[in-house]
Amino acid sequence: MADWLTAMGNDTRASVLVTVAVVEGSGPREAGAKMRVTLDGQVDTIGGGHLELRAVEIAKTMLATGDTHARLERFALGPSLGQCCGGVVHLAFEYVDASLKELLLALRERRQHDSWKVTALDGDAASALFDVGGCLIAGTPAQAPGTFSRERGTHVAQDGKGQRWLVDPCLAPRAHLTLFGAGHVGAAIVRALAHLPCNITWVDEREDMFSAALPAGLPDNVRIAATDTPEEFVAMAPPGGSFLVMTHSHALDQRLTQAIMEREDAGWFGLIGSHTKRKQFEHRLQARGVPDERIAAMVCPIGMPGIRNKAPAVIAASVVCQLLMVWEEAAAAALAAPLRLASASAPPRCRTRAAIHPL
């Protein structure tokens, strides 16, 4: 998975990190979207079109002139750029010096933990990375504030001295899928999800199936489990996690379905199969006392209505659409509630700093 963060790696080229800091009205990407720009290219996107072209030009000018100061630029998409979105987008530009690169590498190591990146947009370059407890992970401790509004996503805030800061929550993926079955369809689904913000636990009894399905290697967001007791991974899944069952055995599918039904906190559950298979499973589940509402929530057949092609890649595309709809709805519901961040182990450096407030 090559994105703005993983591309940092061992790349020694000078670069500028461009972040969508604020979106007023309609914009091509949401606040928090990023891309990394070098003199000879870019990684990731802030939405394409004229806005991205101007952003790349500004970033390359910074690189060519050695301008290391962070900045915030305002773009009226309609009047100044002729884009039909019509909103206003504020972009933050950060020169990736040695200090910021160290911070981003630390952030890369923390992709499964929530972090907050805070960058000074006025004055000398300063940026810091905090955990959910406000403890410093990396960056410039002498200048960066350590408290900020946690009820908002990426935004621009101001400290008591009037200095502006980019406050950028870099949250671990909330979506989790436990996928049972390493056959053709399972492998196609894993490939389709490889570049999406989710974590996958991929379970099968046949260890050799994994390497055969993904000869190019395992995506960063996938963990494999070759086991003779796959039901154990139903219990190990996080609360609200999604499940897909598509093994080589109807009997195993039945056992896994029963185990998933027994979890009251299970999230979306899809079972590969026909309407006939669903009816068979419904009768067996009813005989075992599974409540009707739990059975009704089981998605079988899987895939978007109207898509009948049964090629593995087509099924995968259709099922991934279903999952994205479920995960987007869950994310929207989470945003409507007070932000609850995942816990992280506190680093040794933890200081109290002056608060900054949203603009």
Side-chain angles (χ1 to χ4, degrees):
M1 181 177 177
D3 61 13
W4 68 271
L5 186 56
T6 57
M8 297 302 300
N10 297 320
D11 195 338
T12 58
R13 292 177 297 173
S15 63
V16 169
L17 180 64
V18 184
T19 302
V20 178
V22 178
V23 179
E24 301 168 2
S26 178
R29 288 291 304 275
E30 70 285 353
K34 299 176 181 63
M35 68 178 180
R36 176 177 169 240
V37 179
T38 64
L39 282 174
D40 55 0
Q42 71 183 76
V43 178
D44 236 317
T45 176
I46 57 166
H50 198 180
L51 173 67
E52 183 161 293
L53 178 64
R54 285 288 297 120
V56 170
E57 289 174 350
I58 292 171
K60 288 188 175 182
T61 298
M62 290 175 63
L63 292 169
T65 60
D67 182 358
T68 61
H69 290 88
R71 63 181 66 189
L72 185 69
E73 299 282 352
R74 178 183 183 274
F75 300 88
L77 300 181
S80 64
L81 298 180
Q83 292 193 207
C84 61
C85 297
V88 175
V89 174
H90 301 252
L91 299 180
F93 294 81
E94 299 174 74
Y95 185 93
V96 183
D97 57 13
S99 176
L100 181 55
K101 184 169 184 179
E102 179 183 356
L103 184 151
L104 294 177
L105 290 175
L107 177 60
R108 180 178 177 180
E109 293 300 314
R110 289 180 51 82
R111 295 197 78 162
Q112 298 303 318
H113 299 275
D114 292 331
S115 305
W116 291 75
K117 177 176 166 291
V118 183
T119 300
L121 297 172
D122 303 307
D124 295 334
S127 58
L129 187 69
F130 296 93
D131 71 4
V132 295
C135 293
L136 182 70
I137 301 294
T140 313
Q143 302 178 57
T147 58
F148 35 79
S149 171
R150 299 191 175 201
E151 286 70 39
R152 300 176 61 181
T154 300
H155 62 281
V156 175
Q158 195 171 62
D159 65 18
K161 298 179 181 179
Q163 184 175 9
R164 296 174 302 168
W165 297 82
L166 174 66
V167 180
D168 188 19
C170 302
L171 305 182
R174 264 39 181 182
H176 183 276
L177 173 66
T178 304
L179 171 59
F180 296 95
H184 296 296
V185 177
I189 289 173
V190 168
R191 289 193 293 267
L193 290 171
H195 289 227
L196 299 181
C198 63
N199 288 312
I200 306 164
T201 301
W202 194 13
V203 186
D204 200 289
E205 298 169 300
R206 304 159 296 174
E207 187 169 5
D208 59 317
M209 295 290 288
F210 296 110
S211 56
L214 294 173
L218 203 65
D220 291 340
N221 62 344
V222 179
R223 180 174 68 101
I224 62 172
T227 176
D228 293 329
T229 55
E231 295 95 328
E232 293 181 355
F233 285 85
V234 174
M236 293 168 60
S242 303
F243 295 91
L244 263 175
V245 173
M246 45 182 62
T247 77
H248 60 291
S249 164
H250 273 217
L252 178 56
D253 285 356
Q254 177 72 51
R255 298 202 310 270
L256 291 168
T257 297
Q258 180 71 32
I260 293 167
M261 290 293 177
E262 291 172 357
R263 280 201 60 167
E264 295 183 358
D265 61 352
W268 184 89
F269 164 43
L271 170 69
I272 197 168
S274 63
H275 289 285
T276 301
K277 180 177 179 179
R278 179 186 181 94
K279 290 298 183 184
Q280 292 174 347
F281 275 50
E282 283 181 348
H283 292 314
R284 294 168 185 169
L285 292 169
Q286 288 168 346
R288 288 170 171 79
V290 177
D292 289 342
E293 61 271 18
R294 293 285 292 128
I295 297 174
M298 177 178 68
V299 179
C300 179
I302 55 175
M304 300 296 291
I307 298 179
R308 297 179 178 84
N309 190 314
K310 295 184 179 180
V314 176
I315 297 174
S318 183
V319 172
V320 168
C321 284
Q322 280 186 304
L323 286 168
L324 288 175
M325 292 172 66
V326 170
W327 292 341
E328 292 245 344
E329 184 177 349
L335 286 175
L339 186 60
R340 297 181 182 275
L341 301 178
S343 62
S345 56
R349 295 182 290 172
C350 187
R351 304 165 184 261
T352 302
R353 304 187 204 292
I356 59 177
H357 309 284
L359 291 177

